[in-house]
Amino acid sequence: MIETIRNKAKEWLEKNDGGCVIGYERASDGMTARPVFIYKPYMVGSLIFDETCVHNLSKYLLNRRGLKTAIVVKPCDSRGINLLINEHQLDRESIYVIGVVCPGMKDAHFGRIEDRPLSKCRVCLHHTPAVYDVLVGEPQPETASRDYSDVARIEGISIHERNAFWKEQFERCIRCYGCRQVCAGCYCQECFVDELDPLWVGIRSGPEDNWIWNIGRAFHLSARCIGCGECERVCPVGIPLMLANRKLEKESADLFDFEPGMDAGTAPPFATFLKEETLEKVE
Amino acid sequence: MELTYEPRIVGFLCNWCSYAGADLAGTSRTNYPANIRIIRVPCSGRVDPLFIVKAFQLGADGVLVAGCHPGDCHYSDGNYHTRRRVGLLRPFLDYLGLDKARLRLEWVSASEGKRFSEVVSSFTDTLIKMGPRSS
Amino acid sequence: MARVGVFICHCGTNISGAVDVARVVEAAQKMPMVVIASDNKYTCSEPGQASIRQAIVSNKLNRVVIAACSPRMHEPTFRKAVSAAGLNPYLLEIANIREQCSWVHSHDREKATAKAIELVKMAVAKVIRHEPLYPREVPVTKRALVIGGGITGIQAALDIANAGHEVVLLEQEPSIGGRMAQLDKTFPTLDCSACILTPKMVDVANHPKIRLLTYAEIKEVRGFVGNFKVEITQKARKVDYSKCTGCGTCWQKCPEKTPSEFDLGLGKRPSIYIPFAQAVPTKPVIDTDSCRYIKYRQWLAAGEQGKKPPECRICEKICPTGSIAWDQEPQTITEEFGAIVVATGFQVYDHRHYEEYGGGAYPDVISGMQLERLMNASGPTGGEIVRPSDGTHPKTVAFVCCVGSRDQAKGRTYCSKVCCMYTAKHAIMLKEHDPDVQCYIFYIDVRTGGKDYEEFYLRTLDDAGAIYIKGRPSKIYRDGKKMIVLGEDALMGRPIELAADLVVLATGMEPRTGADKLAQKLNISYNTYHFLVEAHPKLRPVETQTDGIFVAGACVGPRDIPESVAQGSAAAAKVAGLFSSDTLVTDPITSVVNRERCTGCLLCVAICPYKAIDCETTRDTRVVAVVNESLCKGCGLCVGACRPKAIDLRGFTSQQILEEVNSLWS
C-alpha cells in the first residue's frame, strides 16, 4: 500500500515540476504521523500511511490555490476537497488526489496508540474516497445503515438535561479556536467571532458568548461538515463538537437528503430549495 | 409575592407581507399581548440565523420569524430559503437545550391582520405556560 | 457623533389614547445620542413637519427618529421633510407606535407605553448606525424588444415605434401574424380577420423604426432595466434574405409536400415555404425536416446508409437570384435594449388529451381552430366546409365547449374566455355557409362578458337556430359515417345521444410551449399553467416584478383580441414612459460587498433571485462577489446567507439589526 502511494507520488512529481505532494510522515516521536510537504521526487521515501494518519490534509490545499498539488486523502478528507471545489475555493484540475481506502484511524494519547478506532471511524459510512485520481487499496462497500446512536442519546434526554449538558460543555471552551483553524470548511477571511463591528460574539470567554460562538461555528458548518472529526480531536478541553455537528448532519440528511462533499456539483441545501417541500418540523 | 411572568418576544417581520399584516391588525384594532418587539426586515430571507441565536443569547424568551406565504414572496424566493434556514436551526437549538417551541416561523400575508394577532397571542400563551428559560 | 432628534406623534388621540406620550418623550430624552425629544399633535401635518425641520436646523441634528404611524404609511412623507431641512433622507427611522402599539394594546396603557418606549429605543439604536444613501442614476437605452409577433406584439411594436423609439420585433415562426392570422372571422363584428390584421403586419414591415427578426428565438438575457443585453438565435432559414425577392417560384415548384402547421394538418405545404399567402416577410424558409436535398445531405453524412433520397435541389436551380444557402447555420445576434415586452401569446389546447373524445383519432372530431381553417377562403378547402374524412358537407354539427378549460380532471381549472364566443360565431357562420346545417352546442355556462357579446350570442339562438344543451358530453365515438355524442341534458335531467356529421371541440387556450423557459431567462414569474405573472393583477397588469420587462396579451392569461390589442398598447405606453427620460433613478437600498471579507464561495450568486451578483477577480487574484446595484432589489437574501458577513444590506445592515436586538436588553 505505502509503496503504491510513494510510486504514484514520485511519478507525479517527476511529471509536475514545482508541484508539491501533501502526505504523512512519521513524527519525531517515532509513533504518530505528521503532515509532510514533498517537492522532490527522491524524498517520497518518507511518506507513510497507516492508522495513525488522523489529520485531514485537505485544508492545506487552500494555501496552494491554483498551484499543482498532489494530496493523500482518506475518504472523509476527500469530501473536504469536493466541498472546497463546490464552494469555488479550489479547481479540480490543479489537484492530483491520491485516495486511500481507509482502515479506520486511531489516536495517540499519553505516548501510546489507543486500541479503539476514533469515534468518527466507528460510525463512518464511506470507506472509499469520494474523489480520487488514483485509488490505493481495494474499494470497500459502504456501511449501509447510519449509526446516530450518539445523537439519539442526547435527543432522548429531557430538554433541561440537554440544556445542562451543553451548557457544561460550552462553559469549558477557552475560545482557542483550534476547532476553526483545523477545519477544512472554515476558511473565511475574517471569522464572525473575530469581527468587532458589528460584534456578533463578545470577546470575553464566558457562558453566554461561548454559547453563541459554538452554535455559530456549528451552524456555519451545517450541511457542510464532512465528518472528519478534526475539530473534536484538537479541542484541548474535550468538548464533544462532533456530537453537535452530527445532529446537523443528521437533520440535513433527513430534511434535505443531502450529504456534504460526496460530489463537487450538487447545490448545497442553503443554495437551493424545493417549492413543494414543507419541512413539517418548522411549520 | 408572586411576580407575573412577561415573556419577551423578538419578531423579525418581512416588510411586504407580515409587517403589513401586523399593520392591518392595528388598523382593524385587533388586540394582542404587548410582549412582541417587531424588527422590520425587507424579506424574511434577510434574517441571518445568527440574529435569532443572538436574540436568545441576550435573553429573548421567544423569536418569531414571519414572511410571506410560500409562492407569495415579494422577491419571489426569499421565504423558501428562510424555511430551510430556520428549518435546520430549530431542531438544532432544541438539541442544544432550547425548546423548539421558542422559535416560530410563520407565514402571515398583508391581509392576515387577524391571523397575525392570533399568532402573537398563541405564541405568548405558549411561552407563559413554558415559563422562563432555564439558565 | 450622532445627534438624534426624536419626534413623537399623538396622532390626535390615536396614539395618545393608549400611550402616555409625555412619558415616552421623557424616556427618549435620556436615550444615548438623543439631543432633543418632543411631541406633536399631528407630526405629518405641515406645522408638524415644520417643527421637525426647525429642530433639525436649530439643534444641528444629523439623525431623526419619528415615532408615529407605520413607516409603510408616511416614510416617504417624512423622508421629504428631513430632506427639506438639508439632511440626507435616509438618516431617518420611524418607530411604529400606532399600528403596532397604540391600536393593538389599547386595553393596557401601562404596557402600551412601555412598548412604545422600547420601540423608540430600537429606532434610536438603529438610526445612529444609518449612513447617508444616494440614489444612483443609470442611462437608458431607448430601444425596445418585443417578443412575439402576434397581434399583441404587433400593436406594442407599432405603438412604441410611433412614439419615436426603435423596436426589434422578434418572432419564432417564419412569419408574424400569430394566431389571429389563422382565424377566418372575428366575433362579434364578423370582420374578416386577415383584412384587419394584414395591414398592421405590412405597417410593421414598412415602419422605419421597426426591425423584424422572424424565425428567431431568445437565447440569453442579461442586464437590467434600461440596459438589457439580449442574445438572439437566428435560426437557419437556408435562404439568403439579402438576395431573395420573395418571387414565389421556389415554393410553387418544390415537389415535396408536408402537412401545413398553419392549416393545422388539414392541408399541405411545400418544404420551402411561407406559412400563408399574406406572410410578412414574404420570403420563404426551408423546412429541414422534410426537404429532400437536406435529407440527401444527411444520408451522405451518415455514410450512405439505407435508401438514397432524391438529390432534388429544384429550388436552387430555378431561383432567379441564387438565394438558396444550403450551408447557412444558426447565428447568434447580440442586441441592447432598454425595455422588453413579452407577448408570446397562446397555443390551442391539444385535444388528444381527451381519450373519451377519441384522443384525436377521429378525423371528423376537429378543434375550433381547424374549423376556422376550413371556413377560410384561403384555407385548405378554399372555404368549403367539409368533413375531413370524406369531403362531404356536414348537416348536423355538434360543438363541445370547455375542452381543456374548466376541467379539473384534465388539470385545467381556468376558463379560456373566448371559446363560448367563437363557438357562437361558428354556429352563425355555418348557418350562413349552408342554411341546412343544424348546430347543437354542449356547454357548461355560456359566458359572454364583453361589449356586444351577449347580443351576438343571442343571434346564434334567434338567427342561426342553434340548440344549446347544458352538460359536458361523456363520450364521442364513431358509428358508421356518424359521430355519436353521448351526454346528459343537465337542465332536462335526461341522457342525450346525438348522431352528428362533424364534431367541433371548442378547445381552450394555453401558453406557448416554452413560455416557462423564456420566463426563466427573463427572470419573471409564471404560474402552474406557465401563464406569466403580472406585478399586480389589477393595478399593474402589464408590468412584472422585474423592472423594464412588460407582459401583454394571452401569455398572461386567456384574452380576446380587443384585450390583447389594449394590453399591447398599454405595454407600449409603459415602455414610452420609461424612455421619456435619459436616466433612471435606482433605490439606494441595495447589497454591498466587503471585498476584504468575501471568500468567493459564491453562495450569494447562487441564491440571488435577480441574478444581481456576479464575481470578479481582485488584484491579488482572489475571486470575490460583486453586486450590480441596478439589478439588486434589496431583499437581503444574500446577506442572510453569507457566512463571513462579507455582504451587507444598506439601510438594514447587520450592525443595525443587531443594535435593535441589543437595545432591548441594554
Side-chain angles (χ1 to χ4, degrees):
Chain A
M1 188 182 217
I2 185 56
E3 279 314 312
T4 323
I5 295 174
R6 288 174 185 162
N7 289 339
K8 289 289 171 192
K10 188 157 179 276
E11 259 172 46
W12 183 84
L13 273 173
E14 280 162 358
K15 268 186 274 175
N16 292 277
D17 199 27
C20 174
V21 175
I22 307 176
Y24 304 92
E25 68 174 0
R26 186 60 69 215
S28 53
D29 63 2
M31 174 184 70
T32 57
R34 70 182 178 198
V36 64
F37 301 82
I38 293 176
Y39 298 89
K40 297 286 177 228
Y42 68 84
M43 292 178 74
V44 298
S46 70
L47 284 172
I48 60 159
F49 191 85
D50 59 21
E51 63 194 17
T52 65
C53 297
V54 288
H55 322 77
N56 178 357
L57 304 178
S58 62
K59 181 157 193 175
Y60 291 119
L61 291 171
L62 291 170
N63 296 335
R64 292 190 54 84
R65 285 177 226 239
L67 301 175
K68 286 277 174 199
T69 311
I71 184 167
V72 179
V73 289
K74 303 187 292 294
C76 47
D77 312 340
S78 76
R79 292 167 61 187
I81 297 174
N82 275 337
L83 176 81
L84 293 173
I85 294 172
N86 181 276
E87 295 178 355
H88 304 90
Q89 301 303 307
L90 303 176
D91 62 298
R92 180 70 182 85
E93 288 70 42
S94 64
I95 309 162
Y96 181 71
V97 184
I98 303 171
V100 188
V101 175
C102 184
M105 292 291 129
K106 291 175 180 172
D107 207 355
H109 269 295
F110 306 114
R112 66 182 199 88
I113 306 287
E114 293 196 326
D115 301 332
R116 274 155 56 84
L118 285 170
S119 57
K120 66 159 178 174
C121 300
R122 278 177 256 148
V123 293
C124 175
L125 302 177
H126 311 290
H127 313 298
T128 307
V131 55
Y132 54 81
D133 294 299
V134 56
L135 182 66
V136 181
E138 282 303 306
Q140 297 290 310
E142 313 233 315
T143 301
S145 63
R146 301 194 298 166
D147 178 2
Y148 281 114
S149 51
D150 50 344
V151 174
R153 206 185 65 248
I154 303 295
E155 287 170 341
I157 62 178
S158 79
I159 187 92
H160 298 292
E161 287 170 320
R162 282 207 291 277
N163 185 45
F165 172 79
W166 286 108
K167 197 162 174 268
E168 195 269 323
Q169 299 298 336
F170 293 153
E171 254 174 27
R172 285 187 289 126
C173 176
I174 57 171
R175 302 274 288 278
C176 69
Y177 306 133
C179 46
R180 176 187 79 190
Q181 297 310 107
V182 79
C183 176
C186 284
Y187 53 80
C188 289
Q189 307 281 331
E190 187 182 7
C191 179
F192 76 99
V193 76
D194 294 328
E195 244 174 67
L196 297 175
D197 192 19
L199 190 70
W200 294 89
V201 186
I203 49 178
R204 165 181 56 190
S205 172
E208 273 92 36
D209 287 320
N210 288 1
W211 189 77
I212 190 169
W213 153 244
N214 278 281
I215 293 176
R217 185 205 64 83
F219 200 72
H220 275 182
L221 287 156
S222 57
R224 297 175 68 238
C225 172
I226 51 168
C228 73
E230 288 286 271
C231 49
E232 185 171 305
R233 186 178 67 80
V234 302
C235 180
V237 293
I239 301 172
L241 294 168
M242 283 303 287
L243 200 53
N245 294 346
R246 278 168 55 73
K247 169 66 176 175
L248 286 165
E249 177 184 296
K250 176 170 173 267
E251 289 295 333
S252 56
D254 289 349
L255 292 171
F256 312 126
D257 193 22
F258 182 79
E259 228 184 325
M262 294 314 290
D263 65 69
T266 308
F270 285 170
T272 180
F273 60 86
L274 298 170
K275 284 186 179 172
E276 62 278 10
E277 71 193 348
T278 53
L279 306 186
E280 253 171 323
K281 291 167 186 167
V282 194
E283 287 170 14
Chain B
M1 190 182 82
E2 197 190 335
L3 284 171
T4 47
Y5 164 57
E6 289 290 349
R8 283 168 78 74
I9 304 171
V10 177
F12 295 99
L13 270 56
C14 87
N15 180 50
W16 304 96
C17 291
S18 305
Y19 194 90
D23 277 355
L24 181 63
T27 318
S28 36
R29 310 295 197 280
T30 323
N31 272 302
Y32 56 78
N35 301 63
I36 189 166
R37 300 290 175 268
I38 292 167
I39 294 176
R40 182 165 74 126
V41 286
C43 174
S44 60
R46 170 66 187 91
V47 179
D48 188 318
L50 279 184
F51 290 157
I52 300 167
V53 181
K54 191 75 187 169
F56 281 126
Q57 184 222 329
L58 287 166
D61 296 289
V63 173
L64 170 70
V65 179
C68 311
H69 286 270
D72 295 348
C73 177
H74 181 76
Y75 304 103
S76 86
D77 302 340
N79 49 1
Y80 293 120
H81 287 279
T82 312
R83 185 165 67 186
R84 287 202 149 191
R85 293 174 193 162
V86 178
L88 193 56
L89 180 64
R90 202 160 169 265
F92 185 54
L93 290 180
D94 189 77
Y95 180 77
L96 298 178
L98 190 113
D99 200 313
K100 59 173 176 265
R102 294 185 184 277
L103 171 55
R104 276 205 191 181
L105 175 62
E106 295 282 352
W107 310 130
V108 179
S109 82
S111 60
E112 293 177 325
K114 191 159 184 303
R115 192 176 128 68
F116 178 77
S117 85
E118 284 163 7
V119 165
V120 178
S121 302
S122 85
F123 197 13
T124 310
D125 279 354
T126 308
L127 293 172
I128 289 174
K129 282 198 196 97
M130 288 171 72
R133 278 171 58 196
S134 52
S135 52
Chain C
M1 184 72 174
R3 293 176 63 84
V4 183
V6 181
F7 304 93
I8 297 140
C9 185
H10 290 251
C11 195
T13 55
N14 279 307
I15 292 170
S16 55
V19 171
D20 186 342
V21 173
R23 265 176 60 202
V24 181
V25 173
E26 198 185 324
Q29 276 161 347
K30 293 180 191 140
M31 289 176 194
M33 316 252 184
V34 172
V35 178
I36 177 181
S38 67
D39 57 336
N40 207 302
K41 197 86 184 157
Y42 288 103
T43 312
C44 58
S45 67
E46 179 42 40
Q49 292 191 35
S51 74
I52 293 176
R53 292 198 297 266
Q54 210 165 15
I56 291 173
V57 176
S58 55
N59 292 284
K60 298 193 173 61
L61 300 178
N62 56 19
R63 299 286 190 287
V64 172
V65 168
I66 294 172
C69 53
S70 171
R72 294 174 54 85
M73 186 83 185
H74 275 323
E75 195 170 53
T77 316
F78 292 134
R79 276 195 178 148
K80 271 189 210 132
V82 298
S83 181
L87 219 53
N88 182 287
Y90 294 89
L91 296 174
L92 162 78
E93 193 57 34
I94 291 178
N96 184 342
I97 60 165
R98 192 179 76 173
E99 280 85 344
Q100 296 182 3
C101 190
S102 71
W103 277 354
V104 285
H105 309 311
S106 53
H107 56 301
D108 194 332
R109 195 171 175 82
E110 192 54 40
K111 281 182 182 170
T113 305
K115 180 171 174 179
I117 291 172
E118 286 206 341
L119 292 176
V120 172
K121 206 168 154 193
M122 288 161 78
V124 169
K126 188 181 179 191
V127 85
I128 291 169
R129 301 292 189 169
H130 264 319
E131 282 181 14
L133 301 178
Y134 303 95
R136 283 172 359 111
E137 289 197 347
V138 292
V140 180
T141 307
K142 295 187 182 181
R143 211 156 164 263
L145 170 67
V146 177
I147 306 172
I151 183 59
T152 312
I154 289 173
Q155 185 67 36
L158 284 172
D159 285 358
I160 297 169
N162 287 337
H165 306 294
E166 275 181 54
V167 183
V168 169
L169 178 58
L170 182 124
E171 168 59 51
Q172 62 174 358
E173 289 175 17
S175 168
I176 58 168
R179 301 287 72 77
M180 190 176 167
Q182 288 174 288
L183 302 179
D184 180 43
K185 297 274 177 355
T186 58
F187 62 78
T189 49
L190 295 183
D191 282 309
C192 153
S193 187
C195 310
I196 56 177
L197 173 68
T198 49
K200 277 186 181 288
M201 290 165 61
V202 175
D203 285 350
V204 165
N206 294 337
H207 203 294
K209 292 271 185 192
I210 300 179
R211 202 171 113 219
L212 205 50
L213 277 181
T214 52
Y215 216 45
E217 283 171 352
I218 299 291
K219 189 178 171 195
E220 203 192 326
V221 179
R222 278 169 297 158
F224 49 92
V225 57
N227 299 273
F228 292 106
K229 212 174 217 143
V230 183
E231 281 185 24
I232 297 166
T233 305
Q234 171 66 63
K235 294 186 270 189
R237 301 170 170 126
K238 306 286 183 192
V239 175
D240 184 345
Y241 273 28
S242 64
K243 295 181 188 161
C244 175
T245 59
C247 69
T249 319
C250 55
W251 69 75
Q252 283 155 15
K253 299 293 181 195
C254 175
E256 183 64 33
K257 296 287 182 280
T258 193
S260 157
E261 296 85 359
F262 189 78
D263 287 334
L264 300 144
L266 294 171
K268 299 220 163 182
R269 61 155 174 85
S271 284
I272 184 163
Y273 72 106
I274 56 170
F276 53 101
Q278 306 95 322
V280 170
T282 327
K283 295 181 182 179
V285 297
I286 293 176
D287 163 22
T288 53
D289 291 332
S290 64
C291 170
R292 291 179 181 183
Y293 181 59
I294 298 280
K295 278 188 181 159
Y296 172 78
R297 282 159 61 110
Q298 287 162 350
W299 173 81
L300 277 184
E304 309 191 10
Q305 300 273 317
K307 192 169 168 273
K308 180 185 168 192
E311 197 185 340
C312 168
R313 298 176 84 160
I314 288 176
C315 50
E316 188 184 350
K317 285 166 199 154
I318 58 169
C319 177
T321 58
S323 307
I324 307 297
W326 298 113
D327 296 321
Q328 200 179 67
E329 291 298 323
Q331 282 181 339
T332 302
I333 309 164
T334 306
E335 298 268 346
E336 289 182 11
F337 300 102
I340 299 174
V341 177
V342 187
T344 50
F346 73 100
Q347 65 195 22
V348 173
Y349 180 83
D350 187 348
H351 66 259
R352 280 180 297 186
H353 297 300
Y354 276 76
E355 288 288 332
E356 60 270 42
Y357 298 164
Y362 303 129
D364 296 332
V365 177
I366 62 172
S367 70
M369 192 59 109
Q370 283 174 313
L371 183 62
E372 297 280 349
R373 297 312 305 147
L374 287 178
M375 284 177 169
N376 193 274
S378 57
T381 56
E384 284 285 299
I385 299 167
V386 293
R387 287 166 30 119
S389 62
D390 55 11
T392 58
H393 291 265
K395 297 296 172 194
T396 309
V397 180
F399 288 88
V400 180
C401 291
C402 298
V403 175
S405 305
R406 304 181 69 194
D407 193 345
Q408 203 98 48
K410 295 288 186 287
R412 297 277 159 162
T413 49
Y414 59 87
C415 166
S416 288
K417 198 171 190 176
V418 296
C419 329
C420 286
M421 290 305 297
Y422 78 60
T423 298
K425 174 185 76 179
H426 288 161
I428 292 171
M429 296 302 300
L430 279 175
K431 198 76 177 175
E432 271 184 22
H433 273 258
D434 180 354
D436 294 338
V437 168
Q438 176 61 52
C439 293
Y440 296 88
I441 299 170
F442 290 89
Y443 71 105
I444 301 179
D445 299 291
V446 177
R447 296 186 168 177
T448 59
K451 190 181 177 189
D452 296 334
Y453 287 9
E454 177 69 12
E455 293 79 351
F456 182 77
Y457 153 65
L458 291 175
R459 280 176 58 193
T460 57
L461 305 173
D462 301 341
D463 302 352
I467 295 170
Y468 275 75
I469 303 161
K470 191 173 175 76
R472 191 196 292 278
S474 56
K475 195 168 173 60
I476 298 172
Y477 62 95
R478 184 158 50 194
D479 185 16
K481 289 198 131 192
K482 293 280 187 185
M483 296 308 303
I484 311 297
V485 182
L486 286 184
E488 192 196 333
D489 186 331
L491 294 181
M492 308 293 274
R494 64 179 184 210
I496 289 251
E497 190 179 324
L498 179 74
D501 298 317
L502 184 68
V503 180
V504 181
L505 305 178
T507 45
M509 288 182 171
E510 64 181 17
R512 294 289 298 209
T513 305
D516 52 336
K517 296 278 183 313
L518 179 66
Q520 287 164 8
K521 286 175 193 166
L522 292 163
N523 205 18
I524 58 176
S525 323
Y526 52 92
N527 71 9
T528 48
Y529 305 114
H530 299 172
F531 281 119
L532 304 179
V533 175
E534 58 278 64
H536 190 284
K538 291 179 175 59
L539 302 177
R540 298 173 68 195
V542 296
E543 290 156 273
T544 65
Q545 290 288 7
T546 304
D547 289 345
I549 298 186
F550 305 94
V551 288
C555 58
V556 185
R559 306 264 188 268
D560 60 15
I561 293 168
E563 286 172 329
S564 298
V565 171
Q567 286 216 318
S569 287
K574 287 285 166 194
V575 172
L578 185 65
F579 289 177
S580 64
S581 61
D582 296 331
T583 55
L584 288 170
V585 175
T586 61
D587 188 348
I589 295 184
T590 58
S591 288
V592 57
V593 176
N594 178 331
R595 292 158 67 98
E596 275 63 51
R597 277 187 190 153
C598 179
T599 59
C601 76
L602 308 186
L603 180 60
C604 50
V605 175
I607 62 175
C608 177
Y610 301 98
K611 300 184 192 167
I613 309 179
D614 213 335
C615 56
E616 65 181 24
T617 310
T618 61
R619 275 189 294 178
D620 56 343
T621 71
R622 289 190 307 121
V623 173
V624 294
V626 55
V627 177
N628 182 333
E629 288 176 17
S630 310
L631 278 178
C632 177
K633 298 270 189 186
C635 66
L637 191 51
C638 52
V639 189
C642 183
R643 290 184 298 273
K645 319 294 172 204
I647 199 160
D648 217 335
L649 181 63
R650 293 191 176 106
F652 293 92
T653 64
S654 297
Q655 172 98 333
Q656 291 180 308
I657 295 172
L658 279 181
E659 291 295 350
E660 283 182 272
V661 179
N662 275 325
S663 73
L664 291 172
W665 280 277
S666 60

